[in-house]
Amino acid sequence: MRPPHSRPPRKAYYGDAHPFRGLGQLAAGRRPTPLMYPARAFLFLVWFALAGCSGIQSSLAPAGDGAHRIAGLFWWMTGGALLVWALMIWLTYSAFRGRASRQSPRLARLYIIGGGALFPTVVLAVLLIHGFRMMPPLLASAPEGSLRIAVSGEQWWWRVRYHPPSGPPVELANEIRLPVGEPVEFELGSPDVIHSFWIPSLGGKMDMIPGRRTRLTLRATRTGTFRGQCAEYCGTSHALMAFPVVVMEAADFARWLEGQRQPAANPAEPLLAEGRDLFLMNGCAACHAIRGTPARGRIGPDLTHVGSRLSLGAGILPNDPEAFVRWIAETSRVKPGVLMPHFGMLPAAELDAVAAYLESLQ
Amino acid sequence: MMKSLSENRESLWRLIVSPSVWALHFLASYVTAAIWCAKFAPASGSIAPVRWLIAAYTVAALLAIGWNGWNGYRRHRLGAAELPHDADTPEDRHRFLGFATALLAGLSAIAVIFAAMAVVYFQDCR
């Protein structure tokens, strides 16, 4: 016998199969009725909208000067839009409620000229002037002597070349590190198609256009790990063209860059040495460079310290030996359309050796 | 004496004069800035000459729109009729077209000013 006050067993309904089932019940605390579907849909939308307010790739959780300005604009515009919306709803309501006799032609003219012409003109002028005033600071150059980072968007990865104020440049790939609090000037370009460089947490986006050099200055305001993403459709794997962004203390950054400047260490174990030899023998060096070895290819990403990066394949796989094996053996399955041929024909033991070697490149 | 009314001749054309001036102003401003930045100035170069040219275009466009709008307003004021000009008479059609011309001139003037405001705030080619 069921205990008193318990509910009868719930009947199955089509929402059972839905991944977000139960949201509406949570809110209402009772069995779902047909009326609860809109409530659930609304809660789902709220959840979906709020999910964009935080995280490593959100303009609404700013960690840079540009992103702070852009988020501020977003909130002011959202607030303004809500006010105008509420005003319109109220006007519509009162127009239907009021008696026709009280709606004098004078009042009607005031609504038409004031609400239809003057008010939108003023609102648009304010928004336009505010937007215009924001743009020059967002596009300003970094002061002379700042760190410059040249980033080239290539289908579908990022070539990253650091030009510190002193010392020769360092070419890396698929990850960007920045010193906190310092303006950094990005020089953006592309050899193939138009890409767009966007780190939502740090600032606005900027197109990377073949044959042109565009510039973007970013200044991170707090340390942390963020995510950048290509923001202009650039081919099959556009969505898989991302990169981790690490904002570090200035001293840590200098130390890190100095480490990345060094050539790769010689393999200490036989397995790793075998991996290096296989890497060279199988032609990987035609496209990839590993400084300190005969590998000097320039077509694909530099792999000198690939084991130290936070991700593989431009922000799409974790950096561990299994992911290396997967990337090498099933390249075009992981990233459809990729130029790198897959090496799935290699015996598993050889794949493991190459993966172990690449992982050891710290 | 019956005034000659232009309801079925040029006043229809006058209706689109102001929006056309707005379109030409936009095109001229855009092309001037694009050519200057592509051919005569580096990416961070000043657009001072472009600003003066666009100021000149703007004055010319506003004068043309003002003349066109005033013209429409005079036709709207023909005789002693009140809004809305919806009687089925040549006079009311004449007034209606004039009124619409004047309203479009107002819209076009605001659009021209909005477009020109860009160079008030932008100093270089970026």
Side-chain angles (χ1 to χ4, degrees), chain A residues 173-175 177 244 260 303 305-325 327 354-362:
Chain A
N174 292 337
E175 183 169 294
R177 299 200 178 217
Q260 296 284 318
L303 300 179
H305 298 285
V306 66
S308 73
R309 290 180 200 151
L310 293 181
S311 76
L312 286 189
I316 58 174
L317 291 177
N319 190 336
D320 57 36
E322 294 79 48
F324 268 113
V325 169
W327 175 260
V354 175
Y357 170 62
L358 293 173
E359 185 64 44
S360 77
L361 295 173
Q362 293 294 321

Side-chain angles (χ1 to χ4, degrees), chain A residues 109 117 120-122 124-125 128-129 131-133 135-136 139-141 213 215, chain B residues 43-44 82-83 110 113-126:
Chain A
R109 201 167 300 155
T121 305
V122 170
L124 287 177
L128 188 68
I129 292 173
F132 279 151
R133 284 168 57 92
M135 283 176 80
L139 295 174
S141 306
R213 181 167 293 180
R215 285 165 196 282
Chain B
S44 54
E82 289 262 319
L83 281 168
I110 291 169
I113 292 169
F114 277 9
M117 261 169 18
V119 287
V120 174
Y121 294 99
F122 297 151
Q123 321 261 330
D124 56 43
C125 286
R126 275 177 303 209

